[in-house]
Amino acid sequence: MPDAVVVGAGPTGLTLAVDLARRGVDVTVVEKADGLFPGSRGKGLQPRTLEVFHDLGVLDEVLAAGGPAPVGMVWSGGERQGEHDMFADETIEPTPAEPYAGRPCMLPQWRTQEILYARLRELGGEVLFGRAVSDLEQDADSVTVTFDEGPTVRARYLVAADGGRSTVRRLLGIGMTGEEVDPSPTLVADVRIDPAALDRDNWHIFPASPEGALALCPLHGTPDFQLMAQFKEGGTPDTSTEGIRKVIASRTHLSADDVTEVRWSSDFRPRAALADRFRDGRVFLAGDAAHVHSPAGGQGLNTSVQDAYNLGWKLGRVLRSGAPESLLDTYEEERRPLAAEMLGLSTRIHRGEQSRGRATQQLGLGYRESSLSQGAAGALRAGDRAPDGLVDGTRLFDLFRGPHFTLLAVGVELPVIEAEGVRTARISAYEAYGEGYFLVRPDGYIGWAGSALDLEPYLTRC
């Protein structure tokens, strides 16, 4: 019997599976499709997500395949009107404490999934494709999952990462509370365009059409552009190849023949919704199964990756380190309020009520109000993100990297401690921390902080 079943092989499910596999957890990933998702949909990776990918061992591949968000170029009547940088507020210079701050890294979702899947296979994991969940039952010790085809799977826990139309959420009877962000539908597609007709130096924006705005964003590491086209309320986008060629030709200076290939297409109506709860017994909701965002501000995929990162270490501690099962209660406690916050941010950006900026980078998010956050020292409180830095020749993110806690003594003596799953280190006083003792959780947040060391009561909880 596997320790955990993850339903869905999108960014959420694969991130969680990688995190569990590196902890020695026996995890089975099931996906109803016959392969990985083929489209670019969630293409913007925020700085905090890059920090997660550093820890999971995939950052080099992500950065090699992606690139910074391009500056927009506004067109009208077939003429360039000038640049418009929608990410100007996110052009924040990196610092030693925040090494990936700045513009989002653009990488098509299908490529992010390929990188995570390759990492999972390196760790000995696999995905069972063509497994659509049809039913599930749980008892005091396990969850049993039934599929349309193939044998049932029984595991100690199940995580639903099966998207906004989650079958698992429906089977559990968990509702979603939300609103329609915009009644107008949006067409999204991955297209190839004759290089002689359009350059790849900018994110090309065509706002003037009476039918609705259209944008073409070059996708790094591919010959593709992501098309996004808005339609009037009540409209029905034609997602066929000819329909996509027609909408590009009608709203831009390009001809239908300039669109040489349509590789993937879909349509949606922007909405925001939050699951009424993130846990039902031994079943957890993560990613779009738990919260559905407008694409504005690039928060959906990134918030989903953070869900997986939060839940992964907690499941690992319960399954492999004897932590009390009550630790799993803190998943919903910590993640649901932040998901609600990010939903509000996405909606305000979509409606033009707030600009992009530091908030979209997710570096300032934390868990100060969590029952798992205790104490303060120096410049930080428990629940804050643990800053990076190069101190005494040691890079802190490399010190934190892995499935362990890290007790960091900053500018104070480090006594000998013996605690399972805790690595210790001492560095000189560092402005981002100040001085004191800081217990960094496996997900890179300060769990406990103080000027005198008294960890045992805290560690008994996790």
Side-chain angles (χ1 to χ4, degrees), residues 23 64 82 157 198 235 238 278 300 304 317 360 365 373 381 435:
R23 298 173 189 280
Y157 296 97
L198 193 68
D238 183 350
F278 283 14
S304 300
R317 292 288 291 183
T360 61
L365 298 179
S373 299
R381 286 176 53 186
E435 293 187 359

Side-chain angles (χ1 to χ4, degrees), residues 109-345:
Q109 182 175 319
W110 63 263
R111 186 69 185 108
T112 300
Q113 290 177 207
E114 282 188 347
I115 291 170
L116 288 168
Y117 184 37
R119 177 64 174 140
L120 177 62
R121 297 185 75 176
E122 284 180 5
L123 295 167
E126 260 299 345
V127 175
L128 303 179
F129 292 104
R131 294 291 189 93
V133 173
S134 59
D135 200 5
L136 64 87
E137 296 180 356
Q138 56 178 316
D139 55 35
D141 301 311
S142 65
V143 183
T144 302
V145 192
T146 304
F147 305 96
D148 289 347
E149 295 182 7
T152 61
V153 175
R154 182 169 169 257
R156 292 182 62 184
Y157 296 97
L158 181 145
V159 181
D162 53 342
R165 297 183 177 89
S166 171
T167 297
V168 173
R169 188 186 65 234
R170 176 180 56 79
L171 290 170
L172 294 172
I174 298 177
M176 291 195 87
T177 302
E179 61 177 323
E180 189 174 64
V181 175
D182 188 337
S184 303
T186 298
L187 169 68
V188 58
D190 294 347
V191 300
R192 291 188 178 174
I193 293 174
D194 185 341
L198 193 68
D199 68 80
R200 300 180 60 83
D201 299 329
N202 292 101
W203 190 329
H204 300 282
I205 304 166
F206 303 86
S209 170
E211 300 169 301
L214 181 148
L216 289 162
C217 178
L219 297 170
H220 286 277
T222 79
D224 302 341
F225 287 81
Q226 186 194 66
L227 161 73
M228 292 194 76
Q230 296 175 323
F231 286 75
K232 292 181 178 179
E233 184 176 354
T236 303
D238 183 350
T239 58
S240 70
T241 296
E242 290 310 308
I244 290 167
R245 285 179 168 143
K246 180 178 178 181
V247 76
I248 291 175
S250 68
R251 301 192 195 184
T252 76
H253 62 278
L254 302 173
S255 71
D257 289 342
D258 289 331
V259 182
T260 59
E261 188 175 352
V262 176
R263 300 182 59 77
W264 167 81
S265 63
S266 182
D267 69 302
F268 66 95
R269 283 164 176 76
R271 59 188 292 261
L274 183 68
D276 295 340
R277 61 187 190 276
F278 283 14
R279 182 183 184 184
D280 185 306
R282 291 182 167 269
V283 181
F284 300 85
L285 305 184
D288 287 355
H291 42 82
V292 178
H293 300 245
S294 156
Q299 298 302 293
L301 182 151
N302 294 277
T303 302
S304 300
V305 166
Q306 304 302 323
D307 289 346
Y309 198 46
N310 182 286
L311 182 57
W313 77 267
K314 295 172 181 177
L315 279 171
R317 292 288 291 183
V318 170
L319 288 164
R320 286 291 174 268
S321 302
E325 190 161 320
S326 58
L327 176 63
L328 300 176
D329 294 334
T330 66
Y331 168 66
E332 178 174 317
E333 177 194 351
E334 292 186 340
R335 291 308 302 167
R336 194 170 184 274
L338 287 190
E341 183 179 342
M342 293 300 97
L343 283 171
L345 175 64

Side-chain angles (χ1 to χ4, degrees), residues 47 90-103 358 361 363:
E90 294 181 66
T91 308
I92 300 166
E93 290 299 318
T95 67
E98 297 178 344
Y100 310 118
R103 304 171 74 83
R358 183 170 174 79
Q361 304 204 0
L363 293 170

